[in-house]
Amino acid sequence: MKTKATFFVNDKNKPIRYGEVNLINPPRKRLKNEPEKEGIEVNPVFCGFCGTDFELMKMGRECMLDAKFSIGEQRLINGHEGVVWVPEENRFAIVLIRGGNSYDPTRFTEEESYFEYGCDGADGIFCDKGYFNPDMLLHLPGEYDGIEKMPLSLAKRLVFSDPYACAIFQHERMCDIGIAQNFRVEMARNHCSEEMAKKLAYESTFDRVVIFGLGTTGLFIGDQIRRNHKNAKILFVARSSEKCDKAEFIKNNLSADYLSTADRNEKEIAQSIINHLGGTATVFVGTSGTELESRLAFEYGVLGCNGIYDSFSLGPKVTYDTMPFGFKNQVILASINFTQKHMEQAIDILCNSKFDELVELIDKNEFTADPVNAYENKIYCKGAPLKTAVIWNKEYIDEEK
């Protein structure tokens, strides 16, 4: 089947293009020991742009995409965030993007493999039609059964299903590690049982949280921490003005504080963070994509004893002095994934959220006319919205709601 799509190629000048492509439909499995299934046809409806797409475009410019293409292909249809329509089942769906020959694609091992729709080895959703494993087309809550047009506000919220699922996974892992890391401290401090100490550690791990960066991943991790730890002190730190829309959103909706790093040197930033928190951080979440994150946490001592450093950035190197790191008994966590359970939880949460306020649209014709220019000069340029999305098929969207 042929379709119109945007797709990545290895090309220094035009690493992403729009045009006609021939779809492939190899059998794929959702999990190890499950049967392989050919994909069923879907119509992408609403698509969001992710920083991963931008990185893949840059990889195409460097002619480094070969490992990302499906076997036998020299292109990859991009896109993994958004809403699709399933004609065979007469419903909307969210694509679970990661599957493969693994018991848990989130933590696959050396002898296992995985694929990701729109990112690695399988075509994504920036196309008029596509094929997706039927087991990986997740349902919306029951209240949306039978709708034939999706309210635009709902589509904007659901475009975050993938990154919000990542945040749920991050919170889950921080809880697992934080409880194991700190329950013995709580036993000694409170002279209590191990069971009680683990309950105390579940909360005390998040006493003082720094989230460095003001993108969607940090925002959603902060939202997860606030939903699950009502007494946590959460401080977002970034370069943006304290009066910007993103800062106002986190203050009003997450009951979090915000600190702008503008006009401060690194030492001043570190001291300001500690002053705002009333002590060193128990959790430091790095989401900014800069090496300043680890310098603040380790070199300048923002992360306290027994603290967790959650490295969520792609690109920067995390460095630390082994002597103080060892004696402070700190832990570095790094994993950027999620499971189907996390995605389903994310869908439920997002349907009743206000995150649609953070999404701005780009016209489909503007995007497809020059995708490279759109990425570089509108979607990921200085002053770009927190999230940009495109209505791919207006037939299925109610733009008045």
Side-chain angles (χ1 to χ4, degrees), residues 4-43:
K4 290 284 189 72
T6 57
F7 54 95
F8 296 123
V9 295
N10 284 322
D11 189 294
K12 293 181 179 180
N13 298 313
K14 293 183 65 177
I16 183 171
R17 304 170 180 181
Y18 176 72
E20 188 175 77
V21 297
N22 186 52
L23 290 177
I24 60 172
N25 190 18
R28 303 186 189 277
K29 61 174 66 176
R30 180 179 57 176
L31 291 173
K32 197 180 186 78
N33 293 337
E34 291 186 352
E36 289 187 337
K37 294 184 179 181
E38 288 190 347
I40 62 174
E41 184 179 315
V42 306
N43 301 331

Side-chain angles (χ1 to χ4, degrees), residues 49-207:
F49 298 90
C50 174
T52 300
D53 302 335
F54 193 37
E55 292 301 317
L56 288 170
M57 188 187 83
K58 289 188 282 187
M59 288 176 66
R61 183 166 278 154
E62 297 298 321
C63 297
M64 297 173 59
L65 281 179
D66 286 344
K68 300 294 183 181
F69 297 145
S70 295
I71 295 175
E73 298 296 315
Q74 292 300 311
R75 57 103 184 105
L76 175 70
I77 297 174
N78 61 305
H80 58 276
E81 299 180 356
V83 180
V84 302
W85 174 260
V86 188
E88 187 174 306
E89 300 174 4
N90 201 40
R91 68 177 177 92
F92 291 101
I94 304 296
V95 178
L96 175 66
I97 70 162
R98 177 174 266 210
N101 182 35
S102 172
Y103 293 111
D104 180 356
T106 293
R107 306 185 196 187
F108 72 100
T109 59
E110 287 78 4
E111 72 276 9
E112 297 177 333
S113 62
Y114 73 93
F115 68 88
E116 289 184 330
Y117 286 119
C119 299
D120 199 336
D123 288 329
I125 65 172
F126 274 91
C127 52
D128 293 347
K129 293 183 184 297
Y131 292 114
F132 297 88
N133 183 312
D135 296 335
M136 299 176 70
L137 296 170
L138 305 184
H139 287 258
L140 273 57
E143 63 192 278
Y144 299 106
D145 289 347
I147 64 170
E148 296 181 349
K149 283 199 170 191
M150 177 174 285
L152 177 58
S153 59
L154 178 60
K156 286 182 174 181
R157 294 175 199 144
L158 290 173
V159 80
F160 291 121
S161 298
D162 173 288
Y164 200 97
C166 288
I168 294 174
F169 177 66
Q170 291 298 304
H171 173 255
E172 180 181 274
R173 290 210 67 196
M174 283 190 283
C175 288
D176 292 345
I177 291 172
I179 290 169
Q181 171 84 333
N182 293 316
F183 82 90
R184 295 188 186 280
V185 175
E186 295 295 349
M187 283 177 67
R189 178 186 292 146
N190 295 285
H191 306 287
C192 61
S193 66
E194 181 174 320
E195 181 181 3
M196 176 56 69
K198 288 180 177 178
K199 292 180 180 179
L200 294 171
Y202 173 80
E203 295 296 342
S204 64
T205 292
F206 300 94
D207 278 349

Side-chain angles (χ1 to χ4, degrees), residues 221-269:
I221 291 171
D223 188 66
Q224 266 296 288
I225 292 172
R226 174 57 69 222
R227 286 173 183 269
N228 290 281
H229 308 275
K230 302 303 182 186
N231 296 319
K233 188 171 183 63
I234 304 172
L235 176 67
F236 281 81
V237 184
R239 292 172 296 181
S240 302
S241 164
E242 294 185 7
K243 295 182 180 180
C244 73
D245 291 342
K246 293 180 287 187
E248 291 297 324
F249 186 90
I250 64 105
K251 287 186 282 189
N252 294 333
N253 293 281
L254 275 66
S255 299
D257 295 328
Y258 179 72
L259 172 68
S260 173
T261 62
D263 302 321
R264 289 185 170 97
N265 61 39
E266 293 182 3
K267 185 176 180 180
E268 291 170 339
I269 294 169

